[in-house]
Amino acid sequence: MRYSFIIPVYNRPDEVDELLDSLTRQSVKDFEVIVVEDGSAVTCSDVCAKYADSLDLHYYDKPNSGPGQSRNYGVERAKGEYVLILDSDVVVPEGYLKAVNDELEANPADAFGGPDCAHPSFTDTQKAISYSMTSFFTTGGIRGGKKKLDKFYPRSFNMGVRRDVYARLEGFSKMRFGEDIDFSIRIFKAGCRCRLFPEAWVWHKRRTDFRKFFRQVYNSGIARINLYKKYPESLKLVHLLPMVFTVGVLLMLLLCIVLLALAPSLAWLPLVPLALYCLLIFIDSSFENHSIKIGILSIASAYIQLMGYGFGFIESWWKRCVCGKSEFSAFEKTFYK
């Protein structure tokens, strides 16, 4: 068997239904699907049973241990030459596996990943969140876009690895957040061939509202410092930009307040850079999504993405690098609900 899809899931049977349905439509059929229920209260066993005749599907239910360890659990039971890691909140287009297969036939790789985008059926908020997570003006294009400020690191929502390489590197660590970047760093350190498959993209729902999105990016900021403590060389300039942006926004707002007291006629000046950034996001997102409403929502999403990450980064830096505390994470109990 060539491919094994590994899908960890926690309380998301409806999402798994959509994902499995999309897998039935793949033009390349040489694959199995392994769904690992990570201690869910609401399981997807009935959903998986529905696809028993249309997919080579294996369903496992285990105690909760987080997505990384659940992926390892699934890979231990896989038979494919390559394991394809997907999050439960993605849907794959019909040509996904063909794109992976074509890339591997043309130029073999030990590990790889693909980008993501928003499906037309997504809500306007989901599309705004997708924009802020993939735009060059927010993340620097490091999440799989064509423009990048850093080399491509496969992410666990859409990642492929040779099964023997996965076993040699012992898969995902026990980190609760940032475990995919930790794995990608070890892939590079091992000298493996790793690259972006630009045509192997997925539709990625991400978070459904701004509150959940803030939890996600806040933990990502914390995870970046946790990764830095393990791999000091992994911290790059691009990873500091959200923190710089956050501090800059706070300083400009503080300056605005001071000017209101000392020179009210000049109080608007510190707000000019913030307004220009809002205008840039609005124009770019509106054109990309063909929607003024999504353009407006993208302003909020961009600020949440950058400042949520920035606040998590600053808190983690203070606790771990200044106060010397051990690894930690926030929203751990509620993040996956």
Side-chain angles (χ1 to χ4, degrees):
M1 183 172 292
R2 191 86 193 273
Y3 303 106
S4 296
F5 283 98
I6 312 296
I7 305 166
V9 58
Y10 181 70
N11 288 336
R12 295 184 178 184
D14 292 342
E15 290 183 350
V16 172
D17 195 355
E18 289 184 275
L19 174 52
L20 294 180
D21 180 67
S22 69
L23 289 175
T24 65
R25 306 174 193 279
Q26 296 302 297
S27 56
V28 175
K29 302 295 184 181
D30 187 16
F31 67 89
E32 65 176 349
V33 181
I34 297 176
V35 176
V36 181
E37 194 85 66
D38 189 24
S40 301
V42 183
T43 73
C44 62
S45 57
D46 290 343
V47 170
C48 290
K50 186 170 74 171
Y51 293 93
D53 295 331
S54 53
L55 291 170
D56 181 2
L57 194 151
H58 309 272
Y59 172 80
Y60 299 95
D61 192 354
K62 54 174 280 298
N64 181 265
S65 62
Q69 298 307 298
S70 296
R71 296 178 193 118
N72 293 345
Y73 184 96
V75 173
E76 288 172 0
R77 290 152 180 79
K79 301 174 184 176
E81 180 185 357
Y82 291 90
V83 292
L84 301 175
I85 311 294
L86 297 177
D87 280 353
S88 63
D89 62 349
V90 306
V91 177
V92 297
E94 293 182 11
Y96 173 83
L97 197 52
K98 182 179 186 302
V100 170
N101 201 60
D102 289 347
E103 287 277 3
L104 290 172
E105 291 294 329
N107 185 9
D110 298 309
F112 50 88
D116 65 329
C117 63
H119 190 274
S121 67
F122 288 5
T123 67
D124 290 340
T125 297
Q126 286 177 312
K127 290 175 181 178
I129 290 172
S130 179
Y131 168 83
S132 68
M133 290 296 283
T134 57
S135 171
F136 180 79
F137 299 114
T138 52
T139 64
I142 64 174
R143 299 186 70 90
K146 294 180 180 179
K147 298 178 181 178
K148 296 181 286 293
L149 296 181
D150 189 24
K151 63 184 177 182
F152 173 72
Y153 289 86
R155 306 286 179 130
S156 56
F157 67 84
N158 182 11
M159 171 189 283
V161 189
R162 285 185 61 92
R163 186 158 60 91
D164 58 344
V165 172
Y166 192 107
R168 176 160 55 90
L169 298 179
E170 300 182 342
F172 289 87
S173 70
K174 292 183 179 181
M175 291 180 70
R176 192 72 171 186
F177 300 96
E179 78 286 348
D180 52 352
I181 299 301
D182 172 79
F183 189 25
S184 291
I185 290 172
R186 287 187 281 118
I187 288 171
F188 279 107
K189 281 181 171 290
C192 297
R193 297 165 295 177
C194 181
R195 59 191 180 89
L196 168 69
F197 288 2
E199 299 304 317
W201 51 271
V202 299
W203 289 299
H204 194 185
K205 298 184 187 68
R206 302 190 185 279
R207 301 302 156 201
T208 55
D209 59 53
F210 286 145
R211 182 168 171 265
K212 294 176 182 177
F213 182 46
F214 175 82
R215 292 174 178 173
Q216 177 186 15
V217 294
Y218 190 88
N219 274 310
S220 294
I222 292 173
R224 179 51 62 183
I225 292 296
N226 289 339
L227 288 165
Y228 162 72
K229 295 294 287 185
K230 292 183 69 174
Y231 313 103
E233 74 282 0
S234 70
L235 189 63
K236 304 292 174 53
L237 177 62
V238 66
H239 303 135
L240 302 177
L241 295 181
M243 178 270 294
V244 173
F245 180 89
T246 301
V247 172
V249 169
L250 295 177
L251 288 176
M252 282 185 276
L253 292 176
L254 178 61
L255 179 58
C256 182
I257 293 172
V258 171
L259 288 175
L260 278 172
L262 301 179
S265 62
L266 300 177
W268 59 274
L269 285 175
L271 301 179
V272 171
L274 305 184
L276 290 175
Y277 183 69
C278 289
L279 181 63
L280 173 66
I281 294 297
F282 170 73
I283 293 173
D284 187 56
S285 179
S286 295
F287 274 103
E288 181 174 317
N289 291 286
H290 308 289
S291 169
I292 291 176
K293 180 182 178 182
I294 297 174
I296 294 171
L297 289 171
S298 294
I299 296 172
S301 182
Y303 272 84
I304 290 170
Q305 193 270 325
L306 291 168
M307 297 189 70
Y309 186 105
F311 281 127
F313 185 99
I314 292 168
E315 179 188 2
S316 188
W317 169 79
W318 178 259
K319 289 183 177 179
R320 298 219 59 196
C321 300
V322 178
C323 300
K325 294 185 178 181
S326 59
E327 182 177 319
F328 74 102
S329 61
F331 303 117
E332 189 165 325
K333 293 182 179 180
T334 58
F335 179 75
Y336 293 102
K337 292 184 179 180

